Amino acid sequence: MNVRQREGSLQVLQTVDINEQIHAQLVKAGVRLAATLPDDWLNGLIRRVAGDNDMRHIPVAREAEAIAICAGAFFGGVRSAAIIGNTGLLTCTGEMATLCLRHAIPVFCVVSERGSIDDHMIYQEVQGRRTIPLLQAYDFPYRIIDSPDEIETIPDAYEWHRLQKRPFVLFLTKKLLGLRKKS
Amino acid sequence: MKTNEAMKVLAAHRGEAVVVCALGTAANEWWAVTRSEDSFYMHGAMGFAASFALGLAVTIPDTPVWVLNSDGSLSMNLGCLLTEAGQQPNNLKHFVVDNQCYQTVSNMPMVNQDGADYAAIARGAGINRAITIDNPLELDRRMPEINAAPGPYFIRLRVDAEPEYQRPPPFNYEGPEMKYRFGRAMERKLGVKVFGPTGF
């Protein structure tokens, strides 16, 4: 089902199924807690997890909080995800290194791939160029989900990130999320 | 009040609380008093022990969780108070060791030294129960009420800066070993499953 809705500066040709599918695969992976900070590409997904009574939703004031909250949830035996924008990801790489890498704690991050070739917001351009090289420098694994048929790989990605014992980033692309520039 | 005195009082009232310590003075002093392995001694991410503790607290709602934060760490992540207030975790008690200095880096002065009331900041963020205690007898007297009250509860422990640079010996394990000791302690204590059948 396609619907139109306003989402910040974006005209969203939202395929409702996409966020529903991502949410469903997170649930299938066992995720029961989501720490989130809004990004206009991710707000549909954030609203979905916020509306899930079986998933604890923790809105945060800064993205590094989401990383630490998920690290804490790990020790309560609860699977979690940090849902944040690419800019926020850049702000918390220090905490990802000194908390998660330092103590070998896996944290699953769902991140909008801002600054991609089809994202023409000027304030996203650095993120688009430098995020992946930075992740590679830290040896944080990542995966880019660009088409709906890849969404079902999320549970595998979740298991794999537990094996890696470090932060893992699942990028969601603009194309996947059904977004286009406001006309 | 000396930090060590405050920690001894807290240890006497700990009960079944799981404890998360911010790096530096709070962690080192708690280790010195308790040697407890069902405590997480954060070794990085300055400012984010409170967020870690919140994530833990909401997943084990029937177990009291304490975070032993510090003024320097709290100042790096004041937004954690908003997030904590937003969640209103009944089982979380947030202690802040306020010595007005960065004790473990040669006793350098805190930013805005002696000019900030962290309990007032916590109340302003939406944590209604927020107090300051500056002597061990008062702390000992108040702890039963603090333990019994629903969280979030913010307790600023106004302690003396040590006159000279002082660093109690830190815990004698770190990094991945910290993860496994604490995780296994949670499994034994709470019956939760932190690790899978093959150990990761």
Side-chain angles (χ1 to χ4, degrees), chain B residues 5 7 16 23 37 40 43 45 47 52 55 58-59 62 66-67 82 87 99 108 131 136 146 152 155 165 187 197-198:
Chain B
E5 292 176 320
M7 293 295 164
E16 292 302 309
L23 80 173
E37 292 193 8
F40 190 85
H43 233 180
F52 181 102
V58 300
T59 61
D62 298 327
W66 291 2
V67 55
L82 297 167
Q87 294 297 308
N99 60 9
M108 294 296 285
I131 60 173
I146 290 167
I155 307 97
Y165 174 55
E187 290 185 329
T198 53

Side-chain angles (χ1 to χ4, degrees), chain A:
Chain A
M1 180 173 69
N2 291 321
V3 296
R4 282 176 180 271
Q5 61 185 105
R6 292 278 172 189
E7 196 71 76
S9 59
L10 290 170
Q11 174 110 8
V12 181
L13 269 177
Q14 185 80 316
T15 303
V16 171
D17 282 345
I18 292 298
N19 287 321
E20 190 176 329
Q21 287 172 39
I22 296 167
H23 172 232
Q25 292 299 320
L26 289 172
V27 170
K28 188 176 177 184
V31 172
R32 297 292 179 269
L33 183 153
T36 72
L37 202 146
D39 171 88
D40 54 359
W41 290 16
L42 294 173
N43 290 346
L45 178 60
I46 291 172
R47 288 195 185 98
R48 283 206 66 85
V49 301
D52 180 347
N53 292 330
D54 294 323
M55 190 175 289
R56 180 73 178 230
H57 179 220
I58 305 185
V60 298
R62 181 180 171 86
E63 288 85 354
E65 283 191 84
I67 302 299
I69 285 167
C70 291
F74 174 84
F75 290 99
V78 170
R79 294 186 169 209
S80 65
I83 303 177
I84 58 179
N86 198 350
T87 306
L89 178 69
L90 282 182
T91 69
C92 55
T93 52
E95 286 77 16
M96 291 164 77
T98 63
L99 174 57
C100 303
L101 207 53
R102 179 92 188 81
H103 298 93
I105 302 169
V107 169
F108 194 80
C109 305
V110 179
V111 177
S112 54
E113 195 206 23
R114 301 306 306 256
S116 53
I117 197 167
D118 53 354
D119 183 6
H120 301 157
M121 293 297 176
I122 183 63
Y123 47 81
Q124 301 286 357
E125 58 93 10
V126 171
Q127 295 88 313
R129 280 186 294 109
R130 301 317 307 166
T131 299
I132 285 177
L134 186 62
L135 296 180
Q136 290 169 336
Y138 277 117
D139 197 15
F140 293 155
Y142 64 92
R143 180 175 174 82
I144 299 172
I145 300 286
D146 190 42
S147 67
D149 60 352
E150 295 173 277
I151 294 172
E152 66 184 14
T153 65
I154 288 174
D156 274 341
Y158 201 95
E159 288 304 313
W160 191 77
H161 108 282
R162 298 248 324 171
L163 290 168
Q164 297 296 320
K165 299 183 279 292
R166 62 190 61 214
F168 172 92
V169 179
L170 186 84
F171 285 110
L172 306 180
T173 67
K174 186 175 182 181
K175 179 182 148 198
L176 174 77
L177 295 168
L179 307 163
R180 71 179 189 190
K181 257 184 93 174
K182 182 180 174 182
S183 55

Side-chain angles (χ1 to χ4, degrees), chain B residues 5-21:
Chain B
E5 292 176 320
M7 293 295 164
K8 285 177 177 169
V9 173
L10 291 181
H13 289 275
R14 179 186 184 182
E16 292 302 309
V18 173
V19 179
V20 176
C21 301

Side-chain angles (χ1 to χ4, degrees), chain B residues 1 94-98 100 116-123 128-135 138-139 141-142 146 153-159:
Chain B
M1 176 164 64
H94 190 155
F95 298 88
V96 172
V97 177
D98 176 6
Q100 289 294 306
D117 180 345
Y118 300 112
I121 293 171
R123 279 192 294 276
N128 295 329
R129 284 172 288 277
I131 60 173
T132 295
I133 296 176
D134 64 4
N135 74 79
E138 174 73 359
L139 180 61
R141 189 182 70 77
R142 296 291 296 269
I146 290 167
Y153 202 137
F154 182 96
I155 307 97
R156 174 192 182 205
L157 302 172
R158 185 65 179 89
V159 300

